[in-house]
Amino acid sequence: MSATTTQMGITHMRREIEEIPEATARLLDGSAAVLTEAGRGIRERDPHFVITVARGSSDHAATFMKYAVELTAGLAVASVGPSIASIYGAKLRLGGSACLAISQSGKSPDIVAMAQAARAGGSLTVAITNTADSPLARASDYSIDILAGPERSVAATKTFVNSAVAGLALMAHCTGDDKLLAALARLPDHFRKAIACDWMALAEALETPKSLFILGRGPSAAIANEAALKFKETCAMHAEAYSAAEVMHGPLALVGPGFPVLALAARDASEPSVAEAADSLAAKGATVFVTSNKAKSAARLPHVATGHPLTDPLALIASFYGFVEAFARHRGLDPDAPPNLRKVTETT
């Protein structure tokens, strides 16, 4: 265990999870002007499509934004691999597009190179970063400081949440969506309740298995990807994220008695299908937990309904973060110090 964990009785990760409500409120207040300006800039550019550039947890935030942009603005969104610019030196024709580049540190060379290439290729570039004066911020037309504050734990939590919230606020300003803006303003209170949700009922089901599935659909599919990464990072446990639709194809071959499944259902149009998939897997003997009251046989986990389909998945990841930090400690691991990892990885 780290000195912080043993001497103070709390991990950096837990402290940063508890900071999520305050960090979100700080972002919505402190970066309101640039979010408004960048949203207006995208609206005036009137792009035909959007690209995203990111890695790791930031890429999961970008995937969340893919669904959000497609659902709110009706624009197709594609993820562009940073190596297209940094390694292959390819030049993309991106006239008439907007580019969202997401990076906590804002200094990974491949992310910066792709943002620069996107701008040179005709894209309007927006950096979403926790480091205001970073190479990525300087390389972009607009730079949004997510104002999450220092994050010492290797596993990103509040920076992931604030990146996703910044993306939602950006699109709300772009599309003039007052309902989404109001839902974002309520998020800090919802996050406090979500962090307090007790998901430790999952722990017993995960004692013996070496792997689990995490399911989502639509925006919550991005949340499932983030949750699977956190299991690997903090609990030394393999987890695979799937769409609740896709899991019913090839991956179903791995499901047997006692196989653990976590289904992350948000209060949106996908909830009935996620609950149905959870019940179907439970009928095959899997040990299934789901964040929906629509499920009949899968075990239900407590969850916070935010009143908006795009903010609801973010409350789920706040609840999950609280669980996975506690589960890592339950397994005798220090979630602040995963083996082989460091906080900032600069890839080329």
Side-chain angles (χ1 to χ4, degrees):
M1 292 285 184
S2 68
T4 299
T5 303
T6 56
Q7 293 175 14
M8 301 180 65
I10 185 172
T11 63
H12 292 310
M13 185 178 180
R14 183 67 200 186
R15 184 178 296 108
E16 288 156 8
I17 293 167
E18 297 285 352
E19 290 172 1
I20 287 173
E22 178 186 351
T24 300
R26 187 165 56 242
L27 161 67
L28 294 172
D29 180 50
S31 289
V34 69
L35 285 165
T36 303
E37 182 184 4
R40 185 187 305 117
I42 294 175
R43 182 171 65 250
E44 291 174 352
R45 174 64 64 96
D46 191 20
H48 301 301
F49 63 98
V50 175
I51 66 168
T52 63
V53 182
R55 289 198 185 280
S57 285
S58 293
D59 196 37
H60 300 155
T63 301
F64 178 79
M65 281 310 303
K66 167 185 168 63
Y67 285 103
V69 171
E70 291 173 349
L71 289 170
T72 61
L75 295 173
V77 181
S79 171
V80 176
S83 62
I84 291 297
S86 64
I87 291 180
Y88 296 103
K91 296 181 180 180
L92 301 181
R93 296 188 297 273
L94 297 173
S97 73
C99 169
L100 304 180
I102 307 175
S103 170
Q104 296 167 37
S105 70
K107 62 181 183 179
S108 189
D110 56 348
I111 304 295
V112 175
M114 190 62 241
Q116 292 170 330
R119 194 177 187 183
S123 189
L124 179 73
T125 53
V126 180
I128 297 176
T129 177
N130 200 37
T131 310
D133 185 26
S134 63
L136 180 63
R138 294 191 295 271
S140 304
D141 294 300
Y142 297 98
S143 176
I144 298 167
D145 186 349
I146 64 172
L147 297 172
E151 190 173 60
R152 297 178 65 185
S153 178
V154 170
T157 53
K158 61 178 180 173
T159 53
F160 170 83
V161 171
N162 269 26
S163 294
V165 170
L168 287 182
L170 178 68
M171 292 314 301
H173 286 295
C174 174
T175 60
D177 191 336
D178 291 335
K179 290 184 178 179
L180 179 53
L181 286 172
L184 290 170
R186 296 191 296 267
L187 263 182
D189 287 337
H190 290 308
F191 281 148
R192 290 184 186 93
K193 295 173 184 176
I195 293 167
C197 286
D198 185 0
W199 285 15
M200 283 305 286
L202 279 166
E204 183 177 352
L206 299 176
E207 290 291 353
T208 303
K210 296 182 179 180
S211 185
L212 75 152
F213 286 166
I214 306 180
L215 310 182
R217 199 162 188 189
S220 68
I223 302 305
N225 284 328
E226 171 65 4
L229 175 62
K230 289 299 178 285
F231 263 115
K232 299 181 183 83
E233 285 181 328
T234 65
C235 299
M237 185 172 186
H238 181 261
E240 200 73 26
Y242 286 105
S243 158
E246 187 64 32
V247 76
M248 305 310 291
H249 298 277
L252 192 61
L254 294 177
V255 175
F259 189 92
V261 177
L262 170 60
L264 298 174
R267 265 35 61 203
D268 67 6
S270 72
E271 183 179 8
S273 66
V274 176
E276 181 181 357
D279 283 339
S280 178
L281 293 171
K284 299 182 186 307
T287 303
V288 186
F289 295 83
V290 63
T291 58
S292 173
N293 295 330
K294 296 183 182 295
K296 296 179 175 61
S297 53
R300 301 174 182 178
L301 289 172
H303 55 273
V304 173
T306 67
H308 195 288
L310 287 177
T311 55
D312 217 69
L314 299 181
L316 294 179
I317 198 61
S319 297
F320 173 81
Y321 283 154
F323 161 73
V324 81
E325 187 273 344
F327 185 61
R329 290 186 289 104
H330 174 75
R331 287 169 66 90
L333 301 171
D334 181 356
D336 287 338
N340 306 320
L341 299 180
R342 57 179 179 170
K343 182 60 183 171
V344 177
T345 302
E346 296 184 17
T347 49
T348 58

